[in-house]
DNA sequence: TGCCAAATCTAAAACGTTTTGGCTGGGACA
DNA sequence: TGTCCCAGCCAAAACGTTTTAGATTTGGCA
């Protein structure tokens, strides 16, 4: 088993100086091509791998990009985050940057973790997910002039920092207009309580589309419960479905909620899409697999994550001065969970 | 916004030497208590945060532990891995160690990524998940004498490296004997094709328990499909359920598969648990939420991950010489998805 | 032959920390 | 009074790299 060797050792083996070896490996032009070749060969032979610490020390960069996992639990790494992390990792590794994942330990807030990350210099830039309306992490980073990319915008000003986002507003407008065209007039939305940006965005899309329909018959019913409180969500869904004038279509803020609607509806004896149309957002794997398949929107999380990696690296390298941004329109995936509004008498709800 | 300051600056501000400041902050006894106090105060005042690179360089440690994400996709970060990552992160941060996540980019194997991680010195130790039978990563790390902890054992020798694992064998024995006691004689298993350790372990448990029942009526039907090939799994499940002499109980190697069984069974008009008992493994959130709730085993992934963090750190610090190991028995979570075998499907033979 | 520019290489400094092996001054002790 | 010890502090080296400013060599040309 060969020990890791250093520049000094490679230099000694070739009777060159450390500086020459360093520059040769760096591909500098002021080193003769032949020398570069010899150095490269010897380095390989000795199993030379640059020491990060040495490099970091002089460059002032850590070669890491940080991601702070949100604190919710116990399984807050949902399929979105999982996909995001892998996409990010792939995008970074392609540029020779590594990804560090920071988690909060008991008693630490997400902001504390972020501060530690930034101040210790363990990361050269960070990626933020799940931007809240008026997010304190964003404020901190901007004030600190620390490179970051946010997955999601802040409600008001989108100009002062770099972000990339999905057009949830547009997506939910699309959803409503499709449903409207299919005859639905009363549409439900199962949403969350947290003041997240994407929630705001999507709800706004739904509301604006409803208003623009110019049809007094159009009606929206919105219920909200804390993000991970399944019991509360279920209760609200049941309440919505067992109301005398229940919606003929229900949209889930995210697939998870839409799938919950489907299951509750089925448990109550409603057939989908005959008695109820359901639309989600995210296109999680389970959405394709549900019966019927869940109609939803795909935001290509994996690709967006790769893209944010590239964006962040450009920011860190200082290649770009101004903030970057990118808004992508999610793809509408039509499966079997939505259809024409039921014409006639509604089936009796099975009491549970 | 205050710039990060260095030891030198703190030293200058107090008219002390860098060495003294370093030792004072390190809490060494050969620095007067009063001096230590003054140093600590000034360091706080100046916002001193130790520079990792400097520290790494002299200590030879990076302060990182690595985890290589398995390559499968697109969403290979399932709920197990998500929970594992957060648990690991929490366990590490408590010790001042950070977690780096390495992903493979196109064309790289998981082993390549691991090698890079180890050779570049970016991590002081690694955690391995999803151990295959005869895992090449394990071999590499052992040969290299690189500290690591595996979540899962290698089939043959469990002595030569550190691991922690769940007693899947015991769990599946439990599952079978419970089902047997409830009158089930023909039990199905929906498994995967990959030669993973946990698969081997659990299947063995089932088979040994079946053999030990000493009842010729006991019969096992096992089907296997590639881990992420949902279509294949569904087809196999349907095949199993539509057979003339279908099992009265089906066990899923993991909850995901068990839930799939439940959905397919319901789609085929079978009531659970009246017509079919289903048992899973993992206790994913969806298991509690399914109707009826899925009976399953809980391996407390989060806590196990924390534990592996502690184990790995002890290994890195060199506090422990010999390999460490820990085998935990998963908790049997009885929900509504299993019950007595249907009478008509099979004559009662005898109670155990 | 002498000079100059280009090509190639190098010494040394710098990055921020920890650790080693002292140094210093004062009190205890003979 | 001289010697020794000890608490408290420090200078310098070391870790491995990159970069800067220069040194050396080579060959062309007058």
């Amino acid at each position: 088993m060969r020990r890791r060797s250093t520049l000094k050792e490679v230099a000694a083996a070739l009777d060159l100086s450390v500086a020459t070896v360093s520059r040769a490996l760096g591909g500098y032009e002021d080193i003769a091509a032949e020398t570069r070749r010899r150095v490269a060969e010897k380095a390989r032979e000795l199993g030379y791998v640059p020491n990060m610490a040495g490099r970091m020390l002089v460059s002032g960069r850590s070669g890491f990009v940080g991601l702070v996992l949100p604190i919710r639990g116990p399984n807050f790494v949902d399929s979105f985050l999982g996909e995001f992390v892998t996409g990010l990792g792939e995008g970074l590794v392609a540029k020779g940057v590594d990804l560090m994942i920071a988690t909060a330990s008991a008693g630490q807030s997400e902001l504390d973790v972020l501060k530690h990350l930034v101040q210790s210099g363990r990361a050269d830039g960070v990626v933020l997910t799940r931007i809240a309306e008026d997010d304190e992490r964003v404020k901190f980073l901007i004030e600190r002039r620390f490179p970051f990319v946010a997955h999601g915008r802040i409600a008001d000003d989108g100009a002062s920092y770099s972000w990339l986002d999905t057009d949830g507003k547009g997506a939910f407008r699309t959803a409503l207009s499709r449903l409207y065209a299919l005859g639905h007039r009363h549409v439900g939305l199962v949403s969350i309580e947290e003041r997240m940006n994407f929630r705001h965005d999507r709800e706004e899309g739904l509301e604006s589309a409803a208003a623009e329909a110019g049809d007094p018959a159009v009606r929206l019913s919105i219920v909200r419960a804390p993000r991970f409180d399944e019991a509360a969500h279920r209760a609200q869904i049941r309440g919505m479905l067992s109301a005398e004038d229940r919606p003929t279509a229900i949209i889930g803020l995210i697939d998870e909620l839409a799938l919950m609607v489907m299951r509750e509806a089925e448990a109550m004896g409603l057939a989908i899409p005959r008695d109820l149309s359901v639309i989600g957002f995210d296109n999680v794997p389970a959405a394709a697999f549900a019966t019927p398949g869940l109609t939803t929107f795909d935001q290509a999380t994996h690709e967006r994550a790769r893209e944010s990696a590239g964006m962040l690296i450009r920011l860190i390298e200082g290649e770009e001065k101004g903030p970057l941004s990118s808004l992508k329109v999610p793809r509408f995936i039509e499966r079997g969970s939505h259809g024409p509004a039921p014409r006639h008498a509604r089936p009796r709800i099975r009491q549970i």
Side-chain angles (χ1 to χ4, degrees), chain A:
Chain A
M1 186 68 345
R2 213 158 39 225
R3 218 176 45 72
R4 289 177 55 192
S5 50
T6 68
L7 271 190
K8 206 197 291 190
E9 287 165 21
V10 177
L14 290 167
D15 204 22
L16 286 172
S17 75
V18 172
T20 304
V21 174
S22 173
R23 313 209 96 220
L25 291 173
Y28 283 72
E29 283 301 328
D30 65 352
I31 303 295
E34 166 62 10
T35 307
R36 287 207 295 267
R37 199 196 51 69
R38 279 172 53 225
V39 169
E41 187 182 311
K42 183 60 80 179
R44 203 165 345 97
E45 183 189 325
L46 295 180
Y48 169 74
V49 184
N51 175 299
M52 279 304 147
R55 191 173 267 184
M56 273 172 72
L57 197 55
V58 56
S59 73
R61 297 253 184 80
S62 71
F64 276 100
V65 156
L67 175 72
V68 180
L69 287 188
I71 318 176
R72 290 286 160 158
N75 75 319
F76 29 102
V77 177
D78 51 18
S79 100
F80 167 80
L81 210 48
E83 243 186 285
F84 196 81
V85 166
T86 56
L88 197 59
E90 286 173 31
L92 291 173
V93 77
K95 305 276 188 178
V97 172
D98 279 310
L99 175 63
M100 69 162 287
I101 296 283
T103 49
S105 59
Q108 278 186 306
S109 78
E110 206 172 316
L111 185 62
D112 289 338
V113 179
L114 183 66
K115 281 184 176 170
H116 171 77
L117 199 75
V118 168
Q119 287 165 351
S120 71
R122 305 217 83 172
D124 307 326
V126 297
V127 176
L128 258 35
T129 60
R130 310 196 191 281
I131 303 295
E133 306 177 22
D134 194 32
D135 200 295
E136 54 183 357
R137 299 171 301 170
V138 173
K139 278 189 201 143
F140 170 75
L141 292 170
I142 287 180
E143 189 192 355
R144 203 91 184 185
R145 298 244 174 74
F146 196 80
F148 75 101
V149 166
H151 185 264
R153 291 157 291 174
I154 283 202
D156 290 331
D157 68 307
S160 59
Y161 68 102
S162 293
W163 53 264
L164 77 188
D165 204 357
T166 308
D167 186 11
K169 183 171 174 178
F172 272 41
R173 290 174 68 93
T174 301
L176 191 75
S177 71
R178 291 296 184 104
L179 290 172
Y180 186 85
L182 286 165
H184 297 271
R185 293 298 175 269
H186 182 190
V187 173
L189 172 67
V190 179
S191 185
I192 62 173
E193 259 180 13
E194 286 78 2
R195 299 186 64 79
M196 290 293 157
N197 215 20
F198 71 93
R199 180 203 110 181
H200 179 83
D201 194 38
R202 295 178 200 172
E203 287 186 359
E204 198 174 81
L206 207 60
E207 280 158 0
S208 67
E212 284 169 25
D215 181 342
V218 169
R219 200 176 133 209
L220 248 37
S221 294
I222 303 186
V223 292
R224 300 185 188 97
R227 172 80 173 87
F228 291 97
D229 188 342
E230 292 186 352
H233 279 300
R234 288 174 81 169
Q236 289 184 339
I237 292 168
R238 291 190 174 201
M240 193 180 250
L241 288 174
S242 52
E244 187 61 29
D245 57 341
R246 59 180 167 76
T248 58
I250 297 185
I251 300 178
L253 188 73
I254 53 178
D255 277 356
E256 206 176 316
L257 294 174
L259 289 169
M260 210 181 281
V261 169
M262 281 178 66
R263 271 177 274 174
E264 291 303 317
E266 270 163 17
M268 292 169 81
L270 296 176
I272 293 172
R274 195 194 61 199
D275 305 323
L276 180 75
S277 287
V278 179
I279 296 183
F281 191 104
D282 269 351
N283 195 26
V284 299
F289 184 56
T291 42
L294 176 64
T295 292
T296 186
F297 292 88
D298 190 305
Q299 52 175 327
T301 307
H302 198 259
E303 283 65 38
R304 300 317 314 277
R306 288 184 84 110
E307 203 181 329
S308 34
M311 213 182 233
L312 182 52
I313 287 178
R314 270 178 288 151
L315 245 30
I316 291 173
E317 307 273 325
E319 288 173 20
E320 307 275 348
K321 35 203 165 226
L324 312 172
S325 64
S326 156
L327 182 67
K328 283 266 166 58
V329 175
R331 200 157 53 92
F332 190 43
I333 311 277
E334 299 194 63
R335 297 206 181 91
S337 69
H338 78 298
R343 295 256 174 105
H344 307 299
R346 297 172 179 171
R348 286 282 302 161
I349 299 291
R350 195 166 77 206
Q351 286 302 336
I352 302 189

